[in-house]
Amino acid sequence: MTPIPDSKRMARNLREALAAQSVALTHSQALELTAKTLGHADWNTLSGLEAQEAAAPAIALRDAIPIMRIFDTPKAEDFYLRLLGFGVDWRHRFGDDFPLYMQVSRGGLRLHLSEHNGDGTPGSVVSVEMQGLDAFHAELASRGSRYAIEPGPTPQMRVLQLWDPFGNRLRFTESTRPKTEPMPAT
């Protein structure tokens, strides 16, 4: 939708262009013509819609980032960084000897790892849709992983499940089902 300042500028430009052609137009008439040109019944309708739009907050949901509970930083780094190939985006501690909270990522996947009591629940499961499951499996095997790719809940899905040292499960899935095809009912 064209914002009010732009609509007013359009009305002013219309009025000036017509005045150059010796056509007299009041400001109100120019506003009304501009509103009709933009597909509205009149100026009051256009300005009312724009005011509503400006007052309503835009809702934009973003990615969900799972929080994985960890109890030992070196073990967490060995699993998430060395084995899975994630990189550390940032680390945070409120002070020396305080619990660690950090973000790790690989590709488009971000995870928060937390030593804070109450963050995450040991034994949680995170499901990650991906492409290149065979290459990922080969990469993990080259680093000593013995996890295997398994059939998924449908014939079009394969799953590679890994457990971190704290009992959290990461379920990497690859589907041959087209994105437009709905998931089967359970």
Side-chain angles (χ1 to χ4, degrees):
M1 175 173 291
T2 306
I4 290 176
D6 289 346
S7 302
K8 287 183 176 180
R9 187 177 320 112
M10 290 171 68
R12 186 182 66 245
N13 291 344
L14 173 65
R15 189 170 174 208
E16 290 171 0
L18 290 174
Q21 306 261 336
S22 299
V23 177
L25 197 63
T26 66
H27 183 65
S28 295
Q29 290 171 323
L31 290 173
E32 293 297 326
L33 286 171
T34 299
K36 288 186 187 301
T37 302
L38 294 173
H40 300 281
D42 54 30
W43 175 253
N44 286 337
T45 303
L46 173 61
S47 61
L49 290 173
E50 290 175 340
Q52 273 182 320
E53 186 177 278
I59 298 172
L61 301 176
R62 302 283 187 233
D63 298 328
I65 303 173
I67 301 173
M68 311 301 286
R69 181 73 156 93
I70 62 172
F71 300 99
D72 183 300
T73 301
K75 284 183 181 179
E77 289 176 343
D78 187 53
F79 181 80
Y80 288 97
L81 307 182
R82 188 199 62 78
L83 179 64
L84 298 183
F86 280 74
V88 176
D89 298 327
W90 48 261
R91 299 171 188 263
H92 173 72
R93 291 182 190 268
F94 285 104
D96 295 338
D97 297 324
F98 277 69
L100 174 69
Y101 193 92
M102 70 180 186
Q103 179 174 292
V104 297
S105 65
R106 179 172 177 174
L109 176 61
R110 291 179 293 165
L111 298 173
H112 286 186
L113 307 179
S114 177
E115 291 181 320
H116 289 270
N117 187 28
D119 278 357
T121 302
S124 294
V125 179
V126 174
S127 182
V128 179
E129 290 184 17
M130 66 172 296
Q131 293 178 342
L133 186 65
D134 291 315
F136 185 56
H137 179 254
E139 182 183 307
L140 297 179
S142 74
R143 295 184 185 132
S145 168
R146 288 183 266 157
Y147 291 101
I149 296 175
E150 309 164 359
T154 71
Q156 299 86 15
M157 183 183 287
R158 297 180 318 131
V159 179
L160 173 61
Q161 292 191 86
L162 298 99
W163 282 260
D164 78 2
F166 319 104
N168 299 306
R169 186 173 4 161
L170 289 98
R171 187 179 289 157
F172 295 92
T173 65
E174 184 173 44
S175 177
T176 58
R177 174 187 55 81
K179 287 278 187 194
T180 56
E181 184 179 312
M183 286 295 288
T186 56

